Amino acid sequence: MTTLSLSDQAIAILRGNDRGGYTVPTEGLYPYQWNWDSAFAAYGFAEFDLPRAWLEIETLFSGQWQNGMVPHILFHQKDDGYFPGPDVWGTQGCSGNPIASSGISQPPVAATFTRALFEKDEAFGKEKLEGLFDKFVAWHGWFMRHRAESGAICVTHPWESGRDNAADWDAAMANVDASGVGDYTRRDTSHVNPEMRPTKRDYDVYLAILYFARDNHWDEQRILEDGLFRVADPTLTFTLLRANRDLKWMGEQLGRDVSQIDTWIAALEEGVKSLWNEEIGCYDAKDLRTGLFAGNVTSAAFLCWYAGIDDKRMLPHLERFLNASPHAVASLDPASPDYNPKRYWRGPVWVIVNTLIGIGLENAGYRSEAERIRSDCARLIEGGGFAEYFDPEDGTPAGGGVFTWTAASWLAWVSKDPKEA
Ligand code: 9WN
């Protein structure tokens, strides 16, 4: 019997989760195309099949709405294994959406990884990018138009942040009346141990927020004025700032006018400051309905370096997180009363977020911190496989298995020799 190397296993996972032009995050639990998962998938594919990597991004944009929004889920083929599916989202006919999709977006990491594809083969990249550049501009413009009223970028649903049950949303979610959501059947808890997933009350609130927007035909103005949830988010703000920098760079390679992107970069550099919570000395989520900070130190705050902001005030927090866990950066401060090492975004280590943090640290010249994160992630994968997330205390794999973005992160960043990175 031959033993496959981890890189061969990772390639087999990307190939195995390929549904023809797009990958599913993992079979069963997530049977559709997710936005930031696909961006990671492309980053991974680029290590062994560059045309396939570009195709992943092109398929993602095939679901772009006429208003520029790129949805967080594209329902290419109906699958009853996931709830809530296309009928629940009810986006048919909204803003000329070309295929069934959700009605919200997700962290815009795609431009940054597309730049990585471009840099692997610039001639081929230019050809591909010509068809995508304006679509990226329309998507980033949608965020700046519909999510930037506080200067930072906000989410209108916890799912939009990609960090669904992070403690960042607790206070805002507590204000949502979910008494009218009625009966529904979750599917996630039949795939994964319910202790590792959001609670029933979380799901009630997720649905109440979704139903409000759906009943208002996903009208952004209505959602801005009366939507049930609006929280400025470090993940969205930092990833979009970084994505705009990379989009600007790509625009310059194509000889495009990038002056509008420049204004977005300047606006976000200023907007990021509104996320600084003096009380905890950290970037934090802020409820735009109440004006209150969430009061948490989460892994999202360490994306400042990824966004090109070398904020030395964040270094002691990073050191504290790394000292508290032998397995890289936990998603929530292990000292927080809300910390739970198994429950999804309330403690577990996510290799993808650690990859983004590591890239940022590397870019800013913090090599030893980046190396610590890289070797911790490698050890987690060596010990527990390509899981969705890991327990920061004992490193056990959690959530779904055979995960696309964990495999992609391995191929494109975790397994790399730091000298090459
Ligand atoms: C809802 C696919 C997605 C990730 C998210 C992660 C989880 C979905 C869910 O899975 O969210 O979008 O049903 O739990 O939180 O970041 O993109 O991997």
PDB file of all heavy atoms in Angstrom, residues 25 30 34 36-37 72-73 82-83 106 159 162-164 188 197-198 203 344-345 350 388 403 405, ligand 1:
ATOM      1  N   PRO A  25     -17.232  23.068  -0.533  1.00  0.00           N
ATOM      2  CA  PRO A  25     -16.298  23.109   0.602  1.00  0.00           C
ATOM      3  C   PRO A  25     -15.996  21.713   1.147  1.00  0.00           C
ATOM      4  O   PRO A  25     -14.855  21.388   1.455  1.00  0.00           O
ATOM      5  CB  PRO A  25     -17.034  23.968   1.625  1.00  0.00           C
ATOM      6  CG  PRO A  25     -17.924  24.860   0.798  1.00  0.00           C
ATOM      7  CD  PRO A  25     -18.369  23.996  -0.354  1.00  0.00           C
ATOM      8  N   TYR A  30     -21.710  20.860   3.086  1.00  0.00           N
ATOM      9  CA  TYR A  30     -21.811  22.084   2.261  1.00  0.00           C
ATOM     10  C   TYR A  30     -21.802  21.718   0.775  1.00  0.00           C
ATOM     11  O   TYR A  30     -20.743  21.732   0.127  1.00  0.00           O
ATOM     12  CB  TYR A  30     -20.646  23.026   2.551  1.00  0.00           C
ATOM     13  CG  TYR A  30     -20.493  23.435   4.005  1.00  0.00           C
ATOM     14  CD1 TYR A  30     -19.291  23.261   4.670  1.00  0.00           C
ATOM     15  CD2 TYR A  30     -21.547  24.030   4.709  1.00  0.00           C
ATOM     16  CE1 TYR A  30     -19.134  23.651   5.991  1.00  0.00           C
ATOM     17  CE2 TYR A  30     -21.400  24.421   6.041  1.00  0.00           C
ATOM     18  CZ  TYR A  30     -20.193  24.223   6.671  1.00  0.00           C
ATOM     19  OH  TYR A  30     -20.027  24.606   7.979  1.00  0.00           O
ATOM     20  N   TRP A  34     -19.418  28.110  -2.216  1.00  0.00           N
ATOM     21  CA  TRP A  34     -19.337  29.251  -1.295  1.00  0.00           C
ATOM     22  C   TRP A  34     -18.279  30.223  -1.785  1.00  0.00           C
ATOM     23  O   TRP A  34     -17.258  29.811  -2.349  1.00  0.00           O
ATOM     24  CB  TRP A  34     -18.964  28.771   0.109  1.00  0.00           C
ATOM     25  CG  TRP A  34     -20.132  28.637   1.033  1.00  0.00           C
ATOM     26  CD1 TRP A  34     -20.534  29.537   1.983  1.00  0.00           C
ATOM     27  CD2 TRP A  34     -21.052  27.543   1.132  1.00  0.00           C
ATOM     28  NE1 TRP A  34     -21.650  29.065   2.643  1.00  0.00           N
ATOM     29  CE2 TRP A  34     -21.982  27.845   2.134  1.00  0.00           C
ATOM     30  CE3 TRP A  34     -21.198  26.330   0.444  1.00  0.00           C
ATOM     31  CZ2 TRP A  34     -23.024  26.991   2.486  1.00  0.00           C
ATOM     32  CZ3 TRP A  34     -22.229  25.481   0.790  1.00  0.00           C
ATOM     33  CH2 TRP A  34     -23.125  25.818   1.803  1.00  0.00           C
ATOM     34  N   TRP A  36     -15.982  32.736  -0.307  1.00  0.00           N
ATOM     35  CA  TRP A  36     -14.555  32.826   0.070  1.00  0.00           C
ATOM     36  C   TRP A  36     -13.892  31.453   0.059  1.00  0.00           C
ATOM     37  O   TRP A  36     -12.683  31.361  -0.133  1.00  0.00           O
ATOM     38  CB  TRP A  36     -14.318  33.653   1.319  1.00  0.00           C
ATOM     39  CG  TRP A  36     -14.743  33.209   2.691  1.00  0.00           C
ATOM     40  CD1 TRP A  36     -15.800  32.457   3.036  1.00  0.00           C
ATOM     41  CD2 TRP A  36     -14.065  33.561   3.927  1.00  0.00           C
ATOM     42  NE1 TRP A  36     -15.856  32.315   4.406  1.00  0.00           N
ATOM     43  CE2 TRP A  36     -14.804  32.991   4.975  1.00  0.00           C
ATOM     44  CE3 TRP A  36     -12.933  34.300   4.250  1.00  0.00           C
ATOM     45  CZ2 TRP A  36     -14.450  33.118   6.328  1.00  0.00           C
ATOM     46  CZ3 TRP A  36     -12.579  34.445   5.582  1.00  0.00           C
ATOM     47  CH2 TRP A  36     -13.323  33.859   6.600  1.00  0.00           C
ATOM     48  N   ASP A  37     -14.674  30.389   0.199  1.00  0.00           N
ATOM     49  CA  ASP A  37     -14.106  29.038   0.037  1.00  0.00           C
ATOM     50  C   ASP A  37     -13.540  28.869  -1.369  1.00  0.00           C
ATOM     51  O   ASP A  37     -12.473  28.281  -1.563  1.00  0.00           O
ATOM     52  CB  ASP A  37     -15.180  27.963   0.255  1.00  0.00           C
ATOM     53  CG  ASP A  37     -15.773  27.974   1.650  1.00  0.00           C
ATOM     54  OD1 ASP A  37     -16.445  28.967   1.999  1.00  0.00           O
ATOM     55  OD2 ASP A  37     -15.563  27.003   2.395  1.00  0.00           O
ATOM     56  N   HIS A  72     -22.842  34.857  -1.344  1.00  0.00           N
ATOM     57  CA  HIS A  72     -22.016  33.990  -0.506  1.00  0.00           C
ATOM     58  C   HIS A  72     -22.224  32.516  -0.840  1.00  0.00           C
ATOM     59  O   HIS A  72     -21.318  31.721  -0.684  1.00  0.00           O
ATOM     60  CB  HIS A  72     -22.211  34.329   0.963  1.00  0.00           C
ATOM     61  CG  HIS A  72     -23.052  33.437   1.820  1.00  0.00           C
ATOM     62  ND1 HIS A  72     -24.416  33.324   1.690  1.00  0.00           N
ATOM     63  CD2 HIS A  72     -22.718  32.630   2.860  1.00  0.00           C
ATOM     64  CE1 HIS A  72     -24.875  32.488   2.623  1.00  0.00           C
ATOM     65  NE2 HIS A  72     -23.871  32.060   3.341  1.00  0.00           N
ATOM     66  N   ILE A  73     -23.425  32.163  -1.370  1.00  0.00           N
ATOM     67  CA  ILE A  73     -23.628  30.780  -1.855  1.00  0.00           C
ATOM     68  C   ILE A  73     -24.241  30.831  -3.247  1.00  0.00           C
ATOM     69  O   ILE A  73     -25.202  31.577  -3.480  1.00  0.00           O
ATOM     70  CB  ILE A  73     -24.611  29.967  -0.976  1.00  0.00           C
ATOM     71  CG1 ILE A  73     -24.250  30.018   0.506  1.00  0.00           C
ATOM     72  CG2 ILE A  73     -24.653  28.504  -1.440  1.00  0.00           C
ATOM     73  CD1 ILE A  73     -25.255  29.273   1.404  1.00  0.00           C
ATOM     74  N   TYR A  82     -28.607  20.485   2.512  1.00  0.00           N
ATOM     75  CA  TYR A  82     -28.233  21.758   3.156  1.00  0.00           C
ATOM     76  C   TYR A  82     -29.457  22.614   3.426  1.00  0.00           C
ATOM     77  O   TYR A  82     -30.356  22.717   2.603  1.00  0.00           O
ATOM     78  CB  TYR A  82     -27.264  22.554   2.253  1.00  0.00           C
ATOM     79  CG  TYR A  82     -26.780  23.825   2.937  1.00  0.00           C
ATOM     80  CD1 TYR A  82     -25.771  23.772   3.890  1.00  0.00           C
ATOM     81  CD2 TYR A  82     -27.354  25.065   2.648  1.00  0.00           C
ATOM     82  CE1 TYR A  82     -25.334  24.923   4.541  1.00  0.00           C
ATOM     83  CE2 TYR A  82     -26.925  26.223   3.295  1.00  0.00           C
ATOM     84  CZ  TYR A  82     -25.918  26.144   4.234  1.00  0.00           C
ATOM     85  OH  TYR A  82     -25.492  27.279   4.876  1.00  0.00           O
ATOM     86  N   PHE A  83     -29.470  23.208   4.593  1.00  0.00           N
ATOM     87  CA  PHE A  83     -30.516  24.166   4.947  1.00  0.00           C
ATOM     88  C   PHE A  83     -29.847  25.420   5.486  1.00  0.00           C
ATOM     89  O   PHE A  83     -28.923  25.302   6.295  1.00  0.00           O
ATOM     90  CB  PHE A  83     -31.438  23.587   6.030  1.00  0.00           C
ATOM     91  CG  PHE A  83     -32.467  24.581   6.510  1.00  0.00           C
ATOM     92  CD1 PHE A  83     -33.671  24.725   5.842  1.00  0.00           C
ATOM     93  CD2 PHE A  83     -32.209  25.406   7.609  1.00  0.00           C
ATOM     94  CE1 PHE A  83     -34.607  25.665   6.264  1.00  0.00           C
ATOM     95  CE2 PHE A  83     -33.146  26.343   8.028  1.00  0.00           C
ATOM     96  CZ  PHE A  83     -34.342  26.462   7.360  1.00  0.00           C
ATOM     97  N   GLN A 106     -19.807  37.681   1.136  1.00  0.00           N
ATOM     98  CA  GLN A 106     -18.876  37.071   2.098  1.00  0.00           C
ATOM     99  C   GLN A 106     -17.530  37.780   1.989  1.00  0.00           C
ATOM    100  O   GLN A 106     -17.323  38.576   1.063  1.00  0.00           O
ATOM    101  CB  GLN A 106     -18.723  35.566   1.791  1.00  0.00           C
ATOM    102  CG  GLN A 106     -19.237  34.673   2.896  1.00  0.00           C
ATOM    103  CD  GLN A 106     -18.906  33.203   2.715  1.00  0.00           C
ATOM    104  OE1 GLN A 106     -18.497  32.763   1.639  1.00  0.00           O
ATOM    105  NE2 GLN A 106     -19.080  32.424   3.769  1.00  0.00           N
ATOM    106  N   TRP A 159     -23.782  35.417   8.677  1.00  0.00           N
ATOM    107  CA  TRP A 159     -23.186  34.588   7.623  1.00  0.00           C
ATOM    108  C   TRP A 159     -22.350  35.408   6.647  1.00  0.00           C
ATOM    109  O   TRP A 159     -21.480  34.868   5.963  1.00  0.00           O
ATOM    110  CB  TRP A 159     -24.287  33.828   6.858  1.00  0.00           C
ATOM    111  CG  TRP A 159     -24.842  32.659   7.623  1.00  0.00           C
ATOM    112  CD1 TRP A 159     -24.187  31.895   8.556  1.00  0.00           C
ATOM    113  CD2 TRP A 159     -26.149  32.092   7.511  1.00  0.00           C
ATOM    114  NE1 TRP A 159     -25.015  30.896   9.029  1.00  0.00           N
ATOM    115  CE2 TRP A 159     -26.229  30.996   8.396  1.00  0.00           C
ATOM    116  CE3 TRP A 159     -27.276  32.399   6.739  1.00  0.00           C
ATOM    117  CZ2 TRP A 159     -27.380  30.216   8.552  1.00  0.00           C
ATOM    118  CZ3 TRP A 159     -28.417  31.624   6.877  1.00  0.00           C
ATOM    119  CH2 TRP A 159     -28.472  30.546   7.772  1.00  0.00           C
ATOM    120  N   GLY A 162     -18.651  35.361   7.372  1.00  0.00           N
ATOM    121  CA  GLY A 162     -17.925  34.096   7.300  1.00  0.00           C
ATOM    122  C   GLY A 162     -17.604  33.531   8.672  1.00  0.00           C
ATOM    123  O   GLY A 162     -17.122  32.412   8.790  1.00  0.00           O
ATOM    124  N   ARG A 163     -17.883  34.296   9.737  1.00  0.00           N
ATOM    125  CA  ARG A 163     -17.591  33.826  11.111  1.00  0.00           C
ATOM    126  C   ARG A 163     -18.931  33.767  11.851  1.00  0.00           C
ATOM    127  O   ARG A 163     -19.210  34.538  12.774  1.00  0.00           O
ATOM    128  CB  ARG A 163     -16.634  34.798  11.810  1.00  0.00           C
ATOM    129  CG  ARG A 163     -15.291  34.946  11.106  1.00  0.00           C
ATOM    130  CD  ARG A 163     -14.357  35.888  11.850  1.00  0.00           C
ATOM    131  NE  ARG A 163     -14.894  37.229  11.956  1.00  0.00           N
ATOM    132  CZ  ARG A 163     -15.016  37.896  13.096  1.00  0.00           C
ATOM    133  NH1 ARG A 163     -14.654  37.351  14.241  1.00  0.00           N
ATOM    134  NH2 ARG A 163     -15.510  39.121  13.084  1.00  0.00           N
ATOM    135  N   ASP A 164     -19.735  32.812  11.436  1.00  0.00           N
ATOM    136  CA  ASP A 164     -21.166  32.799  11.733  1.00  0.00           C
ATOM    137  C   ASP A 164     -21.551  33.022  13.198  1.00  0.00           C
ATOM    138  O   ASP A 164     -22.395  33.845  13.497  1.00  0.00           O
ATOM    139  CB  ASP A 164     -21.765  31.468  11.273  1.00  0.00           C
ATOM    140  CG  ASP A 164     -21.368  31.118   9.844  1.00  0.00           C
ATOM    141  OD1 ASP A 164     -20.712  31.936   9.176  1.00  0.00           O
ATOM    142  OD2 ASP A 164     -21.720  30.030   9.390  1.00  0.00           O
ATOM    143  N   ASP A 188     -27.386  20.728   9.103  1.00  0.00           N
ATOM    144  CA  ASP A 188     -25.972  20.710   9.524  1.00  0.00           C
ATOM    145  C   ASP A 188     -25.729  19.757  10.691  1.00  0.00           C
ATOM    146  O   ASP A 188     -24.729  19.047  10.736  1.00  0.00           O
ATOM    147  CB  ASP A 188     -25.506  22.130   9.889  1.00  0.00           C
ATOM    148  CG  ASP A 188     -26.336  22.770  10.990  1.00  0.00           C
ATOM    149  OD1 ASP A 188     -27.581  22.651  10.961  1.00  0.00           O
ATOM    150  OD2 ASP A 188     -25.750  23.401  11.900  1.00  0.00           O
ATOM    151  N   ARG A 197     -21.490  23.176  16.496  1.00  0.00           N
ATOM    152  CA  ARG A 197     -22.229  24.034  15.555  1.00  0.00           C
ATOM    153  C   ARG A 197     -22.936  25.162  16.316  1.00  0.00           C
ATOM    154  O   ARG A 197     -23.021  25.139  17.543  1.00  0.00           O
ATOM    155  CB  ARG A 197     -23.274  23.188  14.806  1.00  0.00           C
ATOM    156  CG  ARG A 197     -22.697  22.120  13.891  1.00  0.00           C
ATOM    157  CD  ARG A 197     -22.090  22.682  12.629  1.00  0.00           C
ATOM    158  NE  ARG A 197     -23.015  23.536  11.881  1.00  0.00           N
ATOM    159  CZ  ARG A 197     -22.670  24.246  10.799  1.00  0.00           C
ATOM    160  NH1 ARG A 197     -21.440  24.207  10.330  1.00  0.00           N
ATOM    161  NH2 ARG A 197     -23.552  24.999  10.181  1.00  0.00           N
ATOM    162  N   PRO A 198     -23.482  26.145  15.612  1.00  0.00           N
ATOM    163  CA  PRO A 198     -24.268  27.189  16.272  1.00  0.00           C
ATOM    164  C   PRO A 198     -25.478  26.585  16.994  1.00  0.00           C
ATOM    165  O   PRO A 198     -25.917  25.469  16.688  1.00  0.00           O
ATOM    166  CB  PRO A 198     -24.721  28.064  15.098  1.00  0.00           C
ATOM    167  CG  PRO A 198     -23.725  27.807  14.009  1.00  0.00           C
ATOM    168  CD  PRO A 198     -23.332  26.374  14.156  1.00  0.00           C
ATOM    169  N   TYR A 203     -29.680  29.826  15.112  1.00  0.00           N
ATOM    170  CA  TYR A 203     -30.352  29.562  13.835  1.00  0.00           C
ATOM    171  C   TYR A 203     -31.671  30.322  13.721  1.00  0.00           C
ATOM    172  O   TYR A 203     -32.022  30.818  12.649  1.00  0.00           O
ATOM    173  CB  TYR A 203     -30.529  28.051  13.595  1.00  0.00           C
ATOM    174  CG  TYR A 203     -29.469  27.528  12.658  1.00  0.00           C
ATOM    175  CD1 TYR A 203     -28.157  27.366  13.098  1.00  0.00           C
ATOM    176  CD2 TYR A 203     -29.748  27.253  11.317  1.00  0.00           C
ATOM    177  CE1 TYR A 203     -27.172  26.924  12.226  1.00  0.00           C
ATOM    178  CE2 TYR A 203     -28.765  26.813  10.449  1.00  0.00           C
ATOM    179  CZ  TYR A 203     -27.483  26.650  10.900  1.00  0.00           C
ATOM    180  OH  TYR A 203     -26.495  26.229  10.030  1.00  0.00           O
ATOM    181  N   TYR A 344     -17.115  25.982  16.752  1.00  0.00           N
ATOM    182  CA  TYR A 344     -17.133  26.747  15.510  1.00  0.00           C
ATOM    183  C   TYR A 344     -16.281  28.013  15.567  1.00  0.00           C
ATOM    184  O   TYR A 344     -15.076  27.920  15.633  1.00  0.00           O
ATOM    185  CB  TYR A 344     -18.599  27.050  15.240  1.00  0.00           C
ATOM    186  CG  TYR A 344     -19.045  27.031  13.797  1.00  0.00           C
ATOM    187  CD1 TYR A 344     -18.480  26.226  12.851  1.00  0.00           C
ATOM    188  CD2 TYR A 344     -20.097  27.859  13.403  1.00  0.00           C
ATOM    189  CE1 TYR A 344     -18.937  26.233  11.552  1.00  0.00           C
ATOM    190  CE2 TYR A 344     -20.566  27.869  12.098  1.00  0.00           C
ATOM    191  CZ  TYR A 344     -19.971  27.053  11.167  1.00  0.00           C
ATOM    192  OH  TYR A 344     -20.433  27.058   9.889  1.00  0.00           O
ATOM    193  N   TRP A 345     -16.870  29.196  15.593  1.00  0.00           N
ATOM    194  CA  TRP A 345     -16.083  30.435  15.566  1.00  0.00           C
ATOM    195  C   TRP A 345     -15.924  31.043  16.966  1.00  0.00           C
ATOM    196  O   TRP A 345     -15.603  32.214  17.098  1.00  0.00           O
ATOM    197  CB  TRP A 345     -16.732  31.453  14.620  1.00  0.00           C
ATOM    198  CG  TRP A 345     -16.646  31.036  13.176  1.00  0.00           C
ATOM    199  CD1 TRP A 345     -17.580  30.368  12.440  1.00  0.00           C
ATOM    200  CD2 TRP A 345     -15.526  31.226  12.280  1.00  0.00           C
ATOM    201  NE1 TRP A 345     -17.139  30.142  11.161  1.00  0.00           N
ATOM    202  CE2 TRP A 345     -15.889  30.658  11.029  1.00  0.00           C
ATOM    203  CE3 TRP A 345     -14.263  31.822  12.410  1.00  0.00           C
ATOM    204  CZ2 TRP A 345     -15.034  30.680   9.920  1.00  0.00           C
ATOM    205  CZ3 TRP A 345     -13.416  31.842  11.304  1.00  0.00           C
ATOM    206  CH2 TRP A 345     -13.810  31.269  10.074  1.00  0.00           C
ATOM    207  N   TRP A 350      -8.960  28.044  12.900  1.00  0.00           N
ATOM    208  CA  TRP A 350      -9.283  27.873  11.474  1.00  0.00           C
ATOM    209  C   TRP A 350      -7.994  28.089  10.683  1.00  0.00           C
ATOM    210  O   TRP A 350      -7.396  29.179  10.751  1.00  0.00           O
ATOM    211  CB  TRP A 350     -10.361  28.892  11.051  1.00  0.00           C
ATOM    212  CG  TRP A 350     -11.702  28.607  11.651  1.00  0.00           C
ATOM    213  CD1 TRP A 350     -12.063  28.773  12.964  1.00  0.00           C
ATOM    214  CD2 TRP A 350     -12.861  28.091  10.985  1.00  0.00           C
ATOM    215  NE1 TRP A 350     -13.378  28.391  13.149  1.00  0.00           N
ATOM    216  CE2 TRP A 350     -13.891  27.972  11.939  1.00  0.00           C
ATOM    217  CE3 TRP A 350     -13.137  27.721   9.661  1.00  0.00           C
ATOM    218  CZ2 TRP A 350     -15.173  27.493  11.617  1.00  0.00           C
ATOM    219  CZ3 TRP A 350     -14.412  27.252   9.333  1.00  0.00           C
ATOM    220  CH2 TRP A 350     -15.414  27.139  10.306  1.00  0.00           C
ATOM    221  N   GLU A 388     -12.243  21.010   8.915  1.00  0.00           N
ATOM    222  CA  GLU A 388     -12.796  22.361   8.799  1.00  0.00           C
ATOM    223  C   GLU A 388     -12.131  23.295   9.823  1.00  0.00           C
ATOM    224  O   GLU A 388     -11.756  24.414   9.507  1.00  0.00           O
ATOM    225  CB  GLU A 388     -14.315  22.306   9.028  1.00  0.00           C
ATOM    226  CG  GLU A 388     -15.034  23.620   8.754  1.00  0.00           C
ATOM    227  CD  GLU A 388     -16.552  23.506   8.937  1.00  0.00           C
ATOM    228  OE1 GLU A 388     -17.025  22.471   9.470  1.00  0.00           O
ATOM    229  OE2 GLU A 388     -17.258  24.452   8.542  1.00  0.00           O
ATOM    230  N   PHE A 403     -11.737  18.932   3.764  1.00  0.00           N
ATOM    231  CA  PHE A 403     -12.170  20.296   3.466  1.00  0.00           C
ATOM    232  C   PHE A 403     -11.332  20.993   2.397  1.00  0.00           C
ATOM    233  O   PHE A 403     -10.114  21.079   2.498  1.00  0.00           O
ATOM    234  CB  PHE A 403     -12.132  21.118   4.763  1.00  0.00           C
ATOM    235  CG  PHE A 403     -13.427  21.830   5.001  1.00  0.00           C
ATOM    236  CD1 PHE A 403     -14.479  21.176   5.622  1.00  0.00           C
ATOM    237  CD2 PHE A 403     -13.610  23.127   4.546  1.00  0.00           C
ATOM    238  CE1 PHE A 403     -15.693  21.809   5.788  1.00  0.00           C
ATOM    239  CE2 PHE A 403     -14.818  23.771   4.716  1.00  0.00           C
ATOM    240  CZ  PHE A 403     -15.860  23.115   5.349  1.00  0.00           C
ATOM    241  N   TRP A 405     -10.864  24.251   1.577  1.00  0.00           N
ATOM    242  CA  TRP A 405      -9.984  25.402   1.839  1.00  0.00           C
ATOM    243  C   TRP A 405      -8.840  25.062   2.776  1.00  0.00           C
ATOM    244  O   TRP A 405      -7.810  25.751   2.738  1.00  0.00           O
ATOM    245  CB  TRP A 405     -10.752  26.652   2.227  1.00  0.00           C
ATOM    246  CG  TRP A 405     -11.583  26.661   3.484  1.00  0.00           C
ATOM    247  CD1 TRP A 405     -11.667  25.714   4.451  1.00  0.00           C
ATOM    248  CD2 TRP A 405     -12.446  27.732   3.897  1.00  0.00           C
ATOM    249  NE1 TRP A 405     -12.537  26.120   5.437  1.00  0.00           N
ATOM    250  CE2 TRP A 405     -13.038  27.359   5.126  1.00  0.00           C
ATOM    251  CE3 TRP A 405     -12.779  28.976   3.354  1.00  0.00           C
ATOM    252  CZ2 TRP A 405     -13.934  28.180   5.821  1.00  0.00           C
ATOM    253  CZ3 TRP A 405     -13.674  29.789   4.045  1.00  0.00           C
ATOM    254  CH2 TRP A 405     -14.243  29.392   5.254  1.00  0.00           C
TER     255      TRP A 405
HETATM  256  C1  9WN B   1     -23.076  29.433   6.191  1.00  0.00           C
HETATM  257  C2  9WN B   1     -18.585  26.957   3.876  1.00  0.00           C
HETATM  258  C3  9WN B   1     -19.039  27.980   4.905  1.00  0.00           C
HETATM  259  C4  9WN B   1     -17.946  29.021   5.209  1.00  0.00           C
HETATM  260  C5  9WN B   1     -18.293  29.860   6.425  1.00  0.00           C
HETATM  261  C6  9WN B   1     -18.600  28.937   7.585  1.00  0.00           C
HETATM  262  C7  9WN B   1     -19.761  28.002   7.223  1.00  0.00           C
HETATM  263  C8  9WN B   1     -22.153  28.243   6.484  1.00  0.00           C
HETATM  264  C9  9WN B   1     -22.891  27.286   7.410  1.00  0.00           C
HETATM  265  O1  9WN B   1     -19.410  27.254   6.084  1.00  0.00           O
HETATM  266  O2  9WN B   1     -20.928  28.775   7.028  1.00  0.00           O
HETATM  267  O3  9WN B   1     -22.489  30.246   5.221  1.00  0.00           O
HETATM  268  O4  9WN B   1     -23.912  26.770   6.956  1.00  0.00           O
HETATM  269  O5  9WN B   1     -22.453  27.060   8.533  1.00  0.00           O
HETATM  270  O6  9WN B   1     -18.884  29.657   8.747  1.00  0.00           O
HETATM  271  O7  9WN B   1     -17.211  30.715   6.739  1.00  0.00           O
HETATM  272  O8  9WN B   1     -17.761  29.846   4.093  1.00  0.00           O
HETATM  273  O9  9WN B   1     -17.370  26.378   4.271  1.00  0.00           O
END
